Amino acid sequence: MNFSQHSLVITCSIFSLIVVGFAISRITKRSYSSPLGDYAYFLALPAEIVISLSGADIGSVSESSIFLLAYALSIAVIWAAIACAYTMKFRESRNEIGMALLSIGQTNTAFLGLPIFIVLFGSPRLLLPIILFQSLILTAICVYLMEALGSRARKRSTLENFYRPLWASFKNPLIVSSFLGVGLALCGVRITQEEIIGSALHMISATAAPIALIALGASFNEETASSLGISRSLEVVSGIFIKSLLHPAVALLIGYLLGLRGETLLALILVTCPLPAVPA
């Protein structure tokens, strides 16, 4: 099977699981996205991350560093575009700009990003530095803009305004599992299926991708429709353009200039594409 056939099979598999989730929720008229999403987010995906990182070669980080650098540079360009658009054109407040940076300038690397990388590349390792970077740095910056620069910031000390966003990031189960996996790898501990705990974790991690995709499909049937005012239509269209077209194009250019090719460049483009999230 060549690469194009393999990609077609993987793509059909991903969409098939999404359709299955939608069909089950539609037929049974029950809500599945929340419990399945919680299972994937708090248990299955962290188990997959720990297993993947515990067997990783921490010493070979050159390609991952370039990959992360390309992503960081693309984010810087997109955030500059968002800040200019929302400041000069839409005249939004700092709180609104922080929300725009968080919703438009970042991608969902958990509920759909991780399953796609697991199915397409066989491992989520290349995505894990992005998760750490987003949660520990980008999200912290956005939360700081929304909280520390708002009216509530006056009631808190400067130190509290600084560490609150970071502490919120460290409570993320994906962050905790990432550090745990790296710690195990540095200690030379690899989780295998030969032991009881290792076997159980492998069984749980094997369900991460399909459960997350089924939960995503179920959420499409459970989402409620909402209407937007005409005054915000241009703002929404601009956000869609930046997130869907501009960000992947900028990432492609930066990644190519930095020497990324093949699967690594494809992974960078996938990371910057708009990936929907399962409602919490």
Side-chain angles (χ1 to χ4, degrees):
M1 182 182 296
N2 56 38
F3 180 75
S4 60
Q5 291 176 329
H6 176 70
S7 300
L8 179 61
V9 171
I10 294 299
T11 302
C12 291
S13 301
I14 290 173
F15 280 99
S16 296
L17 289 170
I18 295 175
V19 171
V20 167
F22 175 82
I24 293 176
S25 179
R26 187 80 171 180
I27 294 172
T28 62
K29 301 184 184 304
R30 294 182 180 181
S31 176
Y32 294 102
S33 62
S34 182
L36 292 180
D38 288 343
Y39 167 79
Y41 184 69
F42 289 102
L43 186 59
L45 290 175
E48 173 64 33
I49 290 175
V50 170
I51 291 174
S52 298
L53 282 179
S54 67
D57 182 10
I58 304 299
S60 57
V61 296
S62 58
E63 188 179 65
S64 297
S65 300
I66 298 175
F67 180 78
L68 181 58
L69 175 62
Y71 177 78
L73 291 176
S74 71
I75 284 290
V77 173
I78 296 305
W79 274 21
I82 295 173
C84 290
Y86 276 69
T87 301
M88 301 174 63
K89 178 65 178 177
F90 305 117
R91 308 292 182 182
E92 297 288 3
S93 63
R94 287 175 176 173
N95 186 65
E96 290 291 335
I97 294 174
M99 285 295 296
L101 295 179
L102 188 62
S103 60
I104 301 174
Q106 296 195 71
T107 51
N108 175 23
T109 53
F111 284 108
L112 191 54
L114 276 173
I116 286 180
F117 270 66
I118 294 170
V119 174
L120 188 59
F121 302 110
S123 171
R125 293 178 189 173
L126 204 55
L127 190 61
L128 299 181
I130 303 297
I131 295 176
L132 293 173
F133 179 72
Q134 280 199 158
S135 300
L136 296 180
I137 298 178
L138 300 185
T139 302
I141 293 175
C142 294
V143 173
Y144 183 83
L145 286 174
M146 291 184 289
E147 278 200 10
L149 300 182
S151 59
R152 295 181 180 179
R154 301 171 185 175
K155 302 178 181 179
R156 297 192 297 261
S157 65
T158 303
L159 182 61
E160 186 179 0
N161 287 328
F162 177 76
Y163 76 72
R164 276 172 64 92
L166 289 179
W167 176 242
S169 298
F170 274 106
K171 291 191 292 184
N172 187 324
L174 303 182
I175 299 298
V176 175
S177 58
S178 296
F179 280 110
L180 177 59
V182 171
L184 292 176
L186 292 175
C187 295
V189 178
R190 182 167 184 172
I191 299 177
T192 65
Q193 301 187 51
E194 299 176 356
E195 300 177 355
I196 297 177
I197 296 179
S199 178
L201 286 177
H202 274 83
M203 292 175 64
I204 294 173
S205 67
T207 66
I211 292 297
L213 293 173
I214 291 174
L216 175 65
S219 71
F220 292 153
N221 181 58
E222 298 159 15
E223 289 180 349
T224 57
S226 60
S227 58
L228 293 172
I230 298 177
S231 60
R232 306 208 68 174
S233 298
L234 180 59
E235 184 177 337
V236 173
V237 171
S238 300
I240 293 174
F241 170 77
I242 293 173
K243 190 178 185 72
S244 303
L245 298 176
L246 185 59
H247 197 181
V250 170
L252 172 62
L253 177 61
I254 293 176
Y256 188 84
L257 292 177
L258 291 179
L260 298 181
R261 298 293 186 272
E263 288 189 351
T264 309
L265 184 59
L266 174 61
L268 178 64
I269 298 173
L270 287 177
V271 167
T272 56
C273 286
L275 302 176
V278 174

